[in-house]
Amino acid sequence: MSSRSGSAREYETSDQLLSRSASPPVPESNETEAEGLIFYHMDLYGSKERFDIFPEEPSGQGDRSLGDTRRESALSSKKFQRSQEAGYDLEKEVAELAKMYGLDEDREKELELLGGHLEMVESRWPPARTEKAGSQSSICNASKRSSPVKDQSQSTKQQGKAAQDEDQSKARAEDEAESHAWSREELSSGGVSDEWSSQAVSEEEEAADVFCSTCKMPIRAFDKLFGEHKDHEVAQLPSAVESEKEEIHKNMCKLEEQIAQMENFASHLEEIFITVEENFGRQEQNFEVHYNDAVQVLAQKYEEQLEALGEEKRQKLEALYGQLVSCGEHLDTCKELTDTTQKLYLENDKANFMKAAVTMVDRLEEFLKKEVDLELSTLPDFEERVIDFSEVEQLMNSINTIPAPCAPVINPQAPNAATGTSLRVCWGLFSDDTVECYQLCYKPVSNEPCSDEQTEHTLKVKETYCTITNLLPNTQYEFWVSALNASGISPPSERAVYVTAPSPPTIKSKKIRSCENAALVCWESRDINPVDSYMVELSKLPDEENGDIITESIVGIPNCEVLIHLQPAQTYRICVRAINLGGSSERSEPVLIHTTGTYFCLNEDTAHPLLAILDDGFTIACDELENPECDLPVYDNSFTRCIGILGSLIPFPGKHYWEVEVEEDTEYRIGVAFENTPRHGYLGANNSSWCMRHIITPSRHKYEFLHSGMTPDIRITVPPTRIGILLDYENCRLSFFNADIAQHLYAFNSHFQHYVHPCFALETPGILQIHTGIAVPPWTALP
């Protein structure tokens, strides 16, 4: 009997939780909330009570007595017994509801949270209430044993009902008696116990047993199961409380530390205030004692300087007067010569005129040979006189002796502390000397004779660091610093050499070569002075997105080119930085590299003078062939006889494929050649080139595959308009295809001792259009 009573009590507590979670709280007094607890069972299937779970209370019954509540609890206990007979299971009911609302995955966690709440509610139940629950369970069991089965007669049912009514009346009487007794006992002891008082809270606060981490608020377990917090992350309320307490404790510790620091600082400030007052009194006394002596010395210095200034004025006036007299004499001579010359012009006698003219010309030439000094013999500005205040300084030093500071120590250049136009210089003063400011001097370092660019610059700063701007990139500067105070200036520090960061390099986009798994990138430096090394940054661009991610950085590159291994079928964004002791430069202008096939460009230096490269950079054209060996300007590396051009070197192992679009009425040569192929010969006529030649005869289109001037006898019935060329270094094979119909034309089997260049030539006026960046077609592997 006792075990069944305990089971009934546990189920009543579960019903209490679910009924409160499902129904809105009714505002009542604390006593009503603590005592007026209603328990409902969850047997909702096939029963009339399914529609009466939350019966409305009649108006005016907000303050129900404890006896009424107990009677409702007894009825609820009997309903629970009937649900037990029907094999009712709380977990099964919750599982079905969770499945209905799509909460199967989180059911175990939610049941764990719900179980914790049930245990918490049960632990808060008062002892008197628990004992009563056992009594109610006993009454329910008795009622259950006295309840008739469905196949009994009507009379038997009426007897069982009468017995049940009698038991209910007895239970109601016992409830009222126990209610009054328990109330008197609690009142006589000065009030309800603390544990029972914790129940006198609102339903919403009592039911908040978990903490929603998403909304940052306590919630009920029911809201997690079926409410708006269904998909939120929750935690046990005690653990959440402990976490918040720990966070508050940390912040309180930090606050206490700040309070202690501020208190110490405030004490230090008070001491400084007192020290300032004391020092002021002493300085005032010393100043009054030595003030008169300093004034007398200054007056004497004033008289001396005024006398020297008067002497300088006299000398300037005398020099100016002498120069003025000389200028007047010169003017008189000029006027006399002018008058004589004018009179000579009026002489009518030609003989006399010539005699006088010869003499006059000699006088004029002799007079004009004399240099006229038009520079001022003295300037109106007076010399800036340095007044010797040594005696005054001695008097002032006797007031408060402050020695001149020691020489500062300048720090060596820190890594990455420079940009292309600025440097950050730091130094220190390892003494207790009083310093008012620092004097920083610098100049560029150069082996050339002194010029305006090497003029020393001086700055005065208060701090022990300074950022100097408007400098030249990748240039060395020499720095030294002195400390100043009222007593004088310190000796200069040791000189330190700093260097600015380099300028960003310039990538030669037209000289970039790439294939499916590698790329050769070239660039040039914009600085006059050499740099230490270069760094290449690679960024993979999936789907041509703008937001790039640095996937690789290649450092320590000594030259202006690098071979990079890449992944096939990708697009890379590549930038280059120059690096020296001062740091790295800004990124260069980026270039995009596609690893979908082999990319190369045409070397303009190798082009015949009659061959033109169109704007796209991959179309060559020739308009006339009347004089192939013309007198047009020719580069040292240009073809002179064959109207051809070489592409850039393909320095990558593996397979490389490109296509050439041709016209049927154009004669041409296309293939590959070594770098040293003769420029005065024809492609395919030597052992350093392999090419396919197309010529038009009166009867047919003739195709030759030339190497060392020899060709096999091959007839091609379908003239190709788009020729595919496959270079396979590993298998020592050069193949030609009719790309329009995927037809293999011919293949050279030759061991290429060196990397080769694509080559192209025209033998009649026309154009050739070259297509690169094409993946190797699968049909090229067919036999």
Side-chain angles (χ1 to χ4, degrees), residues 72-359:
E72 292 175 358
S73 301
L75 292 175
S76 178
S77 300
K78 294 173 183 178
K79 292 179 181 179
F80 166 72
Q81 294 299 329
R82 289 199 298 270
S83 67
Q84 288 290 333
E85 289 179 353
Y88 178 80
D89 188 0
L90 172 62
E91 294 186 2
K92 180 179 179 182
E93 173 67 14
V94 173
E96 291 178 358
L97 290 175
K99 183 176 182 182
M100 181 185 303
Y101 287 95
L103 303 175
D104 293 344
E105 298 179 357
D106 300 333
R107 182 169 60 87
E108 294 182 0
K109 183 176 180 181
E110 292 161 354
L111 286 176
E112 181 181 352
L113 292 174
L114 183 59
H117 178 67
L118 295 177
E119 293 177 1
M120 180 176 64
V121 174
E122 180 181 356
S123 63
R124 294 201 296 262
W125 194 260
R129 192 77 170 185
T130 305
E131 293 175 2
K132 182 58 185 173
S135 302
Q136 289 178 350
S137 178
S138 301
I139 295 172
C140 291
N141 291 334
S143 174
K144 178 183 176 184
R145 287 192 297 270
S146 63
S147 61
V149 294
K150 292 183 180 181
D151 56 355
Q152 287 179 338
S153 63
Q154 183 66 26
S155 60
T156 307
K157 290 181 180 180
Q158 293 177 354
Q159 293 176 1
K161 184 176 181 180
Q164 182 178 355
D165 294 338
E166 184 179 355
D167 292 339
Q168 292 178 355
S169 300
K170 293 180 179 180
R172 188 179 299 110
E174 292 178 2
D175 289 342
E176 294 177 356
E178 286 189 7
S179 175
H180 292 297
W182 182 63
S183 300
R184 288 194 301 269
E185 180 182 353
E186 293 298 331
L187 291 174
S188 63
S189 61
V192 295
S193 63
D194 293 338
E195 181 179 3
W196 181 242
S197 298
S198 64
Q199 299 295 328
V201 294
S202 65
E203 286 187 280
E204 184 176 358
E205 293 178 352
E206 182 181 339
D209 58 337
V210 294
F211 182 76
C212 178
S213 302
T214 305
C215 299
K216 302 297 183 182
M217 60 181 294
I219 62 172
R220 301 174 298 176
F222 186 86
D223 292 336
K224 168 59 181 172
L225 290 172
F226 310 110
E228 59 181 0
H229 304 276
K230 178 175 63 176
D231 298 328
H232 294 181
E233 182 179 351
V234 299
Q236 290 285 353
L237 192 59
S239 62
V241 171
E242 291 299 326
S243 177
E244 290 298 325
K245 287 183 177 179
E246 183 178 356
E247 186 68 22
I248 292 174
H249 178 71
K250 291 180 180 179
N251 293 331
M252 289 297 295
C253 292
K254 294 180 180 179
L255 187 60
E256 291 175 356
E257 292 177 359
Q258 291 186 4
I259 292 173
Q261 293 176 358
M262 295 304 297
E263 289 177 348
N264 294 334
F265 184 68
S267 300
H268 181 65
L269 287 177
E270 293 176 356
E271 294 175 359
I272 295 299
F273 269 101
I274 298 173
T275 305
V276 167
E277 292 291 342
E278 294 176 351
N279 292 339
F280 173 77
R282 287 194 297 268
Q283 292 292 337
E284 186 179 17
Q285 292 177 1
N286 293 334
F287 187 77
E288 290 177 354
V289 171
H290 297 85
Y291 174 77
N292 293 329
D293 295 338
V295 170
Q296 292 178 0
V297 172
L298 288 174
Q300 181 180 358
K301 295 292 182 183
Y302 170 77
E303 295 294 336
E304 294 175 355
Q305 292 297 327
L306 188 60
E307 183 179 354
L309 191 62
E311 179 64 22
E312 184 178 359
K313 173 186 174 183
R314 185 184 62 79
Q315 293 176 0
K316 286 181 178 293
L317 292 177
E318 289 178 355
L320 290 173
Y321 178 78
Q323 193 173 14
L324 183 61
V325 171
S326 176
C327 183
E329 293 175 353
H330 192 80
L331 284 174
D332 293 339
T333 304
C334 289
K335 289 180 180 180
E336 188 268 331
L337 290 174
T338 302
D339 295 337
T340 305
T341 304
Q342 289 178 352
K343 292 178 181 180
L344 182 62
Y345 269 102
L346 299 176
E347 181 65 40
N348 295 325
D349 189 354
K350 295 181 179 180
N352 295 333
F353 174 82
M354 290 302 300
K355 291 179 182 180
V358 171
T359 305

Side-chain angles (χ1 to χ4, degrees), residues 693-697 700-704 711 713-714 716:
R693 182 189 183 194
H694 172 237
I695 54 179
I696 302 175
T697 64
R700 64 185 178 91
H701 291 270
K702 184 178 180 181
Y703 294 90
E704 298 177 345
T711 179
D713 186 11
I714 295 177
I716 298 176

Side-chain angles (χ1 to χ4, degrees), residues 620-649:
I620 59 175
C622 180
D623 295 334
E624 58 179 348
L625 297 175
E626 295 180 358
N627 187 14
E629 299 180 2
C630 59
D631 297 331
L632 294 174
V634 178
Y635 296 103
D636 295 338
N637 201 27
S638 300
F639 285 96
T640 58
R641 189 174 184 183
C642 176
I643 305 177
I645 188 173
L646 294 181
S648 54
L649 187 71

Side-chain angles (χ1 to χ4, degrees), residues 663-781:
E663 297 177 351
E664 291 187 7
D665 58 348
T666 302
E667 295 183 359
Y668 52 84
R669 297 175 187 240
I670 55 176
V672 298
F674 287 139
E675 172 69 29
N676 61 353
T677 189
R679 302 295 193 266
H680 58 276
Y682 288 96
L683 296 174
N686 47 62
N687 61 357
S688 60
S689 59
W690 298 258
C691 72
M692 171 183 174
R693 182 189 183 194
H694 172 237
I695 54 179
I696 302 175
T697 64
S699 59
R700 64 185 178 91
H701 291 270
K702 184 178 180 181
Y703 294 90
E704 298 177 345
F705 296 90
L706 296 170
H707 177 62
S708 299
M710 302 178 63
T711 179
D713 186 11
I714 295 177
R715 292 179 178 269
I716 298 176
T717 57
V718 180
T721 59
R722 193 178 182 96
I723 303 171
I725 302 174
L726 177 62
L727 173 63
D728 190 349
Y729 280 123
E730 295 179 355
N731 295 321
C732 304
R733 188 178 179 91
L734 177 66
S735 304
F736 295 87
F737 300 88
N738 185 343
D740 294 329
I741 59 176
Q743 179 188 17
H744 180 260
L745 301 178
Y746 183 76
F748 291 100
N749 292 303
S750 177
H751 178 67
F752 300 106
Q753 298 178 353
H754 309 285
Y755 290 121
V756 297
H757 296 256
C759 59
F760 313 91
L762 287 169
E763 297 188 349
T764 59
I767 62 173
L768 295 178
Q769 190 170 1
I770 303 156
H771 300 276
T772 63
I774 304 173
V776 178
W779 42 263
T780 58

Side-chain angles (χ1 to χ4, degrees), residues 2-41:
S2 61
S3 63
R4 292 184 62 86
S5 174
S7 175
R9 180 192 64 196
E10 180 180 356
Y11 185 71
E12 289 166 1
T13 308
S14 302
D15 285 343
Q16 173 196 5
L17 171 65
L18 294 175
S19 64
R20 288 179 181 174
S21 302
S23 62
V26 179
E28 298 178 355
S29 63
N30 291 341
E31 182 179 358
T32 303
E33 292 176 352
E35 299 177 356
L37 303 177
I38 303 175
F39 301 90
Y40 300 97
H41 68 85

